Amino acid sequence: MLEELKQRVMEANKRLKSDHLVISTWGNVSEYDEKTGLVAIKASGVSYDSMKPEHMVIVDLDGNVVEGDYRPSTDCATHICLYREFKGVKAIVHTHSTYATIWAQAGKDIPILGTTHADYFMGDVPCTREMTKEEIDSAYEENTGHVIVERFKDINPLEIRGVLVKGHAPFVWGDNADSAVTNAMVLEQVAKMAWHNAVLAGGDPAKLNPNLLNKHYNRKFGKDAYYGQK
Amino acid sequence: MLEELKQRVMEANKRLKSDHLVISTWGNVSEYDEKTGLVAIKASGVSYDSMKPEHMVIVDLDGNVVEGDYRPSTDCATHICLYREFKGVKAIVHTHSTYATIWAQAGKDIPILGTTHADYFMGDVPCTREMTKEEIDSAYEENTGHVIVERFKDINPLEIRGVLVKGHAPFVWGDNADSAVTNAMVLEQVAKMAWHNAVLAGGDPAKLNPNLLNKHYNRKFGKDAYYGQK
Amino acid sequence: MLEELKQRVMEANKRLKSDHLVISTWGNVSEYDEKTGLVAIKASGVSYDSMKPEHMVIVDLDGNVVEGDYRPSTDCATHICLYREFKGVKAIVHTHSTYATIWAQAGKDIPILGTTHADYFMGDVPCTREMTKEEIDSAYEENTGHVIVERFKDINPLEIRGVLVKGHAPFVWGDNADSAVTNAMVLEQVAKMAWHNAVLAGGDPAKLNPNLLNKHYNRKFGKDAYYGQK
Amino acid sequence: MLEELKQRVMEANKRLKSDHLVISTWGNVSEYDEKTGLVAIKASGVSYDSMKPEHMVIVDLDGNVVEGDYRPSTDCATHICLYREFKGVKAIVHTHSTYATIWAQAGKDIPILGTTHADYFMGDVPCTREMTKEEIDSAYEENTGHVIVERFKDINPLEIRGVLVKGHAPFVWGDNADSAVTNAMVLEQVAKMAWHNAVLAGGDPAKLNPNLLNKHYNRKFGKDAYYGQK
């Protein structure tokens, strides 16, 4: 069942390792299948080197395991919450990639400082608020999803395809498992450069000219996009 | 004698190199065998590339070499001291991994700033006090063990599985040689991120929410742990 | 047509990847052929791994595609502008290499701090001014070329073979595609060291002694150069 | 002539590349042969990948080329000056390794902050003074040697086996070509950690306890050394 999806999600999970976005087993990728309304997600605590398609667990949007002999990732409830709330998001990646996690630990949005950032994200990448003791003590992973959704009240998740969970690490999304991993890789590079700029500036670095932000984002994703081969 | 133990300890020593935790010969792993009360430890100054099981020296908890043609690691007396004092510690790793060593050189505890840290260590990773001239001039390596034990007077070594020796470098432990190396690798990543957060904050970065610390540590190591496959 | 040129430009583009100057498809190399007055440049959005000579597009100095089935790099108009204005520049490289991009995001010249810099660039590597809304909204890529040319009003582009475009990233040039990539690699290393020196100095680091600048630049590129084999 | 020496020096030069101490052709190793009073040194500007023993040039201590079809490294006169002045130094390495060069650009000694440093260098690694216009304009490379020697007036070059040339980069030495490269690799790691400690401290980090310095240096190099296998 959903063999192609499981294969694709497995390959995206392995790419987390080859792109140096994870160490140990600290990351997971899922993808949502619109036809069946089901999600394929990595099993919890599985090594990337020995990963096979059967380590991809199929769950529905209520969090029930539909197929698979393994427990899904502990972050599964966060993924499902985002699929339910963010229409159009087809794949989700969670990593503890170094620089994105540093910004999450700092509890700060990643400021948009250059066109590299604008080529992929239409503005600052936001960080969530502190979670309450109640949110942490029960249904923690689902509540992680809720604080992300709350943070996007005035942000379009199809223009800003990622978030930092305060004290934890990033979640990133995209149109399919592979492009979501690309977005996670770009977020890490953008977070790395922003850290260096913040330190060089001795505080808050100057933001990118908004005209450049619009130009770069739209030449890749706008209605008159002209980047790449069409 | 203890061939399986020697093989396992050798593989863990080689993993120090492949996980980029050591350069040159600056690191060593040992493991304690409960049945015999003996320890296998790397020989001093041996290259990781040409390492064989016979380079693992067998010593008892009084520091006598029981088997092996080589001198044990110069840090052997520190390892033995910790096995004697920390019940339940089965394997010990010493490295000069870059960021953990930077915190040791600074003489500062590694503050807990995120869930990556909380997934493995139940709080700040402590740094020992300055050693006296007397402690350095005689039985230096054993006294290194004593100042570590002193630092853990009010800390449970089975919840905080590592320490920084001031001016020197980290010692890390675990349930077996391989998991101790994993803990050393995590310590290095945690130390790296904490350094970046300290610099970004221009001083002391904000600590992780204690509720998140408890949640993350216990979902992996608590009595109701649900991370991974059971 | 121009098969050797396309082969050479393709190899230089691939070197961007193997020298770690680009991630994803974020970089491009072109070379100008003096005999025909034509330029070979990478196609837009093409992966370095699957790149073939036919992905090199031939354009003239008015920006017309003379040969090739692909769209040229979106940055093509910037390259052409520089070939028209900077006599003697034969090849151009654009990357988003990490540290050079950090300086571009900071909007600061890379200060000359050591002989490594002086061995390749005869002084600070300049950063362009902010572009206006008008310059960005129409003919953006060509105007990027114009602000570079404006910045070199009092600088010899054959002595300072690179520039930072504010908020964006570097452009670097040279005598042929391969040596332009070498210059881009040196710029990245020089930018990396300068960032570390600026942070160590807590602001503006001291510049290199001008006598050392002259000595090092001229022993490689001056009329009495004696570096290498002649 | 001196085929073994040339082979050994060539291998040490290649190790500069595999140990990531050089990029491009920016580094060179020489070794002095006591019996003949001759030195083997890398030819100028030769690539490490295509290097062969015949790229090692034989020179005498007056700087005359005794054998070889290539020009020796431009830094040859510096090497020779040090062999003449520092009795007991048998091999010399020059690199532009990243962090050592950053300290050289800052014009600062690398402070001794930990036992990693003390295991190899018996104190701070000194930086030379600014050179005068006269010293730079004539016999620059030989004068580079002279300012190094001047800096060691009160330092034993057999206890501190390296130096930073202000605005330029490190020179490091040892008992043979291979161990000199090891010292260069250690200097780079020590320089890297010291930079991070200086930034973490927001200025001057606290020096290593002198008792630990003596202990660590002497357990490796003192008359009662007990590190490694004897």
Side-chain angles (χ1 to χ4, degrees):
Chain A
M1 170 179 191
L2 298 170
E3 294 308 315
E4 277 182 36
L5 180 70
K6 288 196 285 188
Q7 180 69 27
R8 199 159 63 229
V9 172
M10 183 198 71
E11 284 169 11
N13 271 289
K14 281 174 174 285
R15 203 186 136 198
L16 291 184
K17 186 89 176 193
S18 56
D19 276 10
H20 308 292
L21 294 171
V22 296
I23 54 177
S24 189
T25 60
W26 308 345
N28 44 71
V29 181
S30 71
E31 187 175 318
Y32 174 66
D33 180 64
E34 267 191 323
K35 274 192 227 145
T36 58
L38 299 175
V39 170
I41 187 167
K42 188 179 82 95
S44 182
V46 172
S47 149
Y48 298 97
D49 295 329
S50 59
M51 199 177 280
K52 297 204 174 66
E54 60 260 35
H55 291 115
M56 302 304 112
V57 185
I58 303 292
V59 297
D60 65 23
L61 287 192
D62 295 317
N64 303 305
V65 172
V66 173
E67 186 199 85
D69 298 328
Y70 298 91
R71 287 186 192 179
S73 166
T74 46
D75 301 303
C76 185
T78 312
H79 289 238
I80 287 172
C81 176
L82 297 182
Y83 286 123
R84 277 197 310 248
E85 300 286 339
F86 289 168
K87 296 306 166 204
V89 166
K90 303 284 178 51
I92 296 172
V93 174
H94 173 53
T95 77
H96 287 210
S97 70
T98 303
Y99 284 93
T101 302
I102 288 162
W103 284 98
Q105 293 189 159
K108 290 189 166 182
D109 303 350
I110 301 175
I112 182 163
L113 305 178
T115 63
T116 317
H117 185 133
D119 282 338
Y120 288 81
F121 299 94
M122 186 61 172
D124 295 355
V125 176
C127 186
T128 61
R129 65 163 167 81
E130 193 78 78
M131 293 173 77
T132 66
K133 187 170 190 323
E134 290 65 38
E135 287 169 334
I136 292 167
D137 287 349
S138 77
Y140 166 61
E141 290 82 7
E142 187 179 344
N143 287 330
T144 298
H146 291 319
V147 295
I148 292 172
V149 172
E150 180 186 318
R151 186 69 181 83
F152 275 71
K153 204 177 47 165
D154 301 317
I155 301 174
N156 181 350
L158 301 184
E159 287 184 348
I160 307 275
R161 298 180 189 82
V163 71
L164 307 175
V165 175
K166 188 177 177 186
H168 188 165
F171 284 82
V172 184
W173 45 86
D175 293 339
N176 55 57
D178 188 65
S179 80
V181 174
T182 295
N183 291 342
M185 181 270 288
V186 173
L187 182 71
E188 177 61 11
Q189 176 65 8
V190 157
K192 179 179 183 178
M193 296 198 296
W195 180 88
H196 283 80
N197 274 107
V199 171
L200 187 64
D204 291 324
K207 295 279 187 82
L208 181 66
N209 178 337
N211 299 312
L212 271 179
L213 164 54
N214 289 326
K215 178 68 187 178
H216 270 261
Y217 190 83
N218 286 319
R219 80 176 187 176
K220 280 195 85 165
F221 297 108
K223 65 178 170 43
D224 298 320
Y226 56 93
Y227 183 92
Q229 307 298 329
K230 289 294 154 80
Chain B
M1 173 181 187
L2 298 171
E3 295 307 316
E4 279 182 33
L5 181 70
K6 288 194 285 188
Q7 179 69 27
R8 200 160 62 228
V9 173
M10 182 198 71
E11 285 169 10
N13 271 290
K14 281 174 174 285
R15 203 186 135 197
L16 291 184
K17 187 90 176 192
S18 56
D19 276 11
H20 308 292
L21 295 171
V22 296
I23 53 177
S24 189
T25 61
W26 308 346
N28 43 72
V29 181
S30 70
E31 186 175 320
Y32 173 66
D33 180 64
E34 267 191 323
K35 274 191 226 146
T36 58
L38 298 176
V39 170
I41 187 166
K42 188 179 81 92
S44 182
V46 171
S47 148
Y48 298 97
D49 295 328
S50 59
M51 199 178 280
K52 298 203 174 68
E54 60 259 35
H55 291 114
M56 303 303 111
V57 185
I58 303 292
V59 296
D60 66 23
L61 288 192
D62 295 318
N64 303 305
V65 172
V66 174
E67 187 198 85
D69 298 328
Y70 297 91
R71 287 186 193 178
S73 165
T74 46
D75 302 302
C76 186
T78 312
H79 289 238
I80 286 171
C81 176
L82 297 182
Y83 286 123
R84 277 199 309 249
E85 300 287 339
F86 288 168
K87 296 305 165 204
V89 165
K90 304 283 178 51
I92 296 173
V93 174
H94 173 52
T95 76
H96 286 210
S97 70
T98 303
Y99 284 93
T101 301
I102 288 161
W103 284 97
Q105 292 189 161
K108 290 190 166 182
D109 303 349
I110 302 176
I112 182 162
L113 305 179
T115 64
T116 317
H117 186 133
D119 282 338
Y120 288 81
F121 300 94
M122 186 60 172
D124 295 354
V125 176
C127 186
T128 61
R129 65 163 168 79
E130 192 78 78
M131 293 174 77
T132 66
K133 186 170 191 323
E134 290 66 36
E135 287 169 335
I136 291 167
D137 287 349
S138 77
Y140 166 61
E141 290 82 6
E142 187 179 344
N143 287 330
T144 298
H146 291 319
V147 295
I148 293 172
V149 171
E150 180 187 318
R151 187 68 182 82
F152 275 71
K153 205 178 47 164
D154 302 316
I155 302 173
N156 181 348
L158 301 184
E159 288 184 348
I160 307 276
R161 298 180 189 82
V163 71
L164 306 175
V165 175
K166 187 175 178 187
H168 189 164
F171 283 81
V172 184
W173 45 86
D175 294 339
N176 56 57
D178 188 65
S179 79
V181 174
T182 295
N183 291 342
M185 181 269 288
V186 173
L187 183 71
E188 177 60 13
Q189 176 66 7
V190 157
K192 180 179 183 177
M193 296 198 295
W195 181 88
H196 283 80
N197 274 109
V199 171
L200 187 64
D204 291 324
K207 294 279 187 83
L208 181 66
N209 178 338
N211 300 310
L212 271 179
L213 165 54
N214 289 326
K215 178 69 186 177
H216 271 261
Y217 189 83
N218 287 318
R219 81 177 187 177
K220 281 195 83 166
F221 296 108
K223 65 177 170 46
D224 299 319
Y226 56 93
Y227 183 91
Q229 307 297 330
K230 289 292 155 80
Chain C
M1 173 181 187
L2 298 171
E3 294 308 315
E4 279 182 35
L5 181 71
K6 288 195 284 187
Q7 179 68 27
R8 200 160 62 228
V9 172
M10 182 197 73
E11 284 170 10
N13 271 290
K14 282 174 174 284
R15 203 186 136 198
L16 290 185
K17 186 90 175 192
S18 56
D19 275 10
H20 308 292
L21 294 171
V22 294
I23 53 178
S24 190
T25 61
W26 308 346
N28 44 72
V29 181
S30 71
E31 186 175 319
Y32 173 66
D33 180 65
E34 267 191 324
K35 273 191 230 148
T36 58
L38 299 175
V39 170
I41 187 167
K42 188 179 81 92
S44 182
V46 172
S47 149
Y48 298 98
D49 295 329
S50 59
M51 199 178 280
K52 297 204 175 67
E54 61 259 36
H55 292 114
M56 301 304 111
V57 185
I58 303 292
V59 296
D60 65 23
L61 287 192
D62 295 318
N64 303 305
V65 173
V66 174
E67 185 199 87
D69 298 329
Y70 297 91
R71 288 186 192 178
S73 165
T74 46
D75 302 302
C76 186
T78 313
H79 289 238
I80 286 172
C81 175
L82 297 182
Y83 287 123
R84 277 197 309 250
E85 299 287 339
F86 288 168
K87 296 306 165 203
V89 165
K90 304 283 179 50
I92 295 173
V93 174
H94 173 53
T95 77
H96 287 211
S97 70
T98 304
Y99 284 93
T101 302
I102 288 162
W103 284 98
Q105 292 189 161
K108 289 188 167 185
D109 302 350
I110 302 176
I112 182 162
L113 306 178
T115 64
T116 317
H117 186 134
D119 282 338
Y120 288 82
F121 298 94
M122 186 62 171
D124 296 354
V125 175
C127 185
T128 60
R129 64 162 168 81
E130 193 78 78
M131 293 174 77
T132 65
K133 186 170 191 324
E134 290 65 37
E135 286 169 335
I136 292 167
D137 288 349
S138 77
Y140 166 61
E141 291 81 7
E142 186 178 344
N143 287 331
T144 298
H146 290 320
V147 294
I148 293 172
V149 171
E150 179 187 318
R151 186 68 181 82
F152 275 70
K153 203 177 46 164
D154 301 315
I155 301 174
N156 180 349
L158 301 184
E159 288 184 347
I160 307 276
R161 298 180 189 82
V163 72
L164 307 175
V165 176
K166 187 176 179 187
H168 188 166
F171 284 81
V172 184
W173 45 86
D175 294 339
N176 55 57
D178 187 65
S179 78
V181 174
T182 295
N183 291 342
M185 182 269 288
V186 173
L187 183 71
E188 177 61 12
Q189 176 66 8
V190 157
K192 179 179 183 177
M193 297 198 294
W195 180 88
H196 283 79
N197 274 108
V199 171
L200 187 64
D204 290 325
K207 294 279 186 84
L208 181 66
N209 178 335
N211 299 310
L212 272 179
L213 164 54
N214 289 326
K215 179 68 186 178
H216 272 261
Y217 189 83
N218 287 319
R219 80 177 187 176
K220 281 195 84 166
F221 296 108
K223 66 177 169 44
D224 299 319
Y226 57 93
Y227 183 91
Q229 307 298 329
K230 288 293 153 80
Chain D
M1 172 180 188
L2 298 171
E3 294 308 315
E4 279 181 32
L5 181 71
K6 288 195 284 188
Q7 179 69 27
R8 200 159 64 229
V9 173
M10 182 197 72
E11 285 169 9
N13 271 290
K14 282 175 173 283
R15 201 185 137 198
L16 291 184
K17 186 89 175 193
S18 55
D19 276 10
H20 308 293
L21 295 171
V22 296
I23 52 178
S24 189
T25 61
W26 308 346
N28 43 73
V29 181
S30 70
E31 186 175 318
Y32 173 66
D33 180 64
E34 267 190 324
K35 274 191 227 147
T36 58
L38 299 175
V39 170
I41 187 167
K42 188 179 82 93
S44 182
V46 171
S47 147
Y48 297 97
D49 295 329
S50 59
M51 199 178 281
K52 296 203 174 67
E54 62 258 35
H55 291 114
M56 302 304 111
V57 185
I58 304 292
V59 296
D60 65 23
L61 288 192
D62 295 318
N64 303 305
V65 173
V66 174
E67 186 198 87
D69 298 329
Y70 297 91
R71 286 186 193 179
S73 165
T74 46
D75 302 302
C76 186
T78 312
H79 290 238
I80 286 172
C81 176
L82 297 182
Y83 286 123
R84 277 197 311 248
E85 299 286 340
F86 288 168
K87 297 305 166 203
V89 165
K90 304 282 179 50
I92 295 172
V93 174
H94 173 54
T95 76
H96 286 209
S97 70
T98 304
Y99 284 93
T101 302
I102 288 162
W103 284 98
Q105 292 189 161
K108 290 189 166 184
D109 303 350
I110 302 176
I112 182 162
L113 305 178
T115 63
T116 317
H117 186 134
D119 283 338
Y120 288 81
F121 299 94
M122 186 61 173
D124 296 354
V125 176
C127 185
T128 61
R129 65 163 168 81
E130 193 77 79
M131 292 174 78
T132 65
K133 187 170 191 322
E134 290 66 36
E135 287 168 335
I136 292 167
D137 287 350
S138 78
Y140 166 61
E141 290 82 6
E142 187 179 344
N143 287 331
T144 298
H146 291 320
V147 295
I148 292 172
V149 171
E150 179 186 319
R151 187 68 182 81
F152 276 71
K153 203 177 48 163
D154 302 316
I155 302 174
N156 181 348
L158 301 184
E159 287 184 347
I160 307 276
R161 297 180 189 83
V163 71
L164 307 175
V165 175
K166 187 176 178 188
H168 188 165
F171 283 82
V172 185
W173 45 86
D175 294 339
N176 55 58
D178 187 65
S179 78
V181 174
T182 295
N183 291 342
M185 182 269 288
V186 174
L187 183 71
E188 177 61 11
Q189 176 66 7
V190 157
K192 179 179 182 177
M193 297 198 295
W195 181 88
H196 283 80
N197 274 108
V199 171
L200 186 64
D204 290 324
K207 294 278 186 84
L208 181 66
N209 178 337
N211 299 311
L212 272 178
L213 164 54
N214 289 326
K215 178 68 187 179
H216 271 261
Y217 189 83
N218 287 318
R219 79 177 189 178
K220 283 196 83 165
F221 296 108
K223 66 177 168 47
D224 299 319
Y226 56 93
Y227 183 92
Q229 307 297 330
K230 288 294 155 78

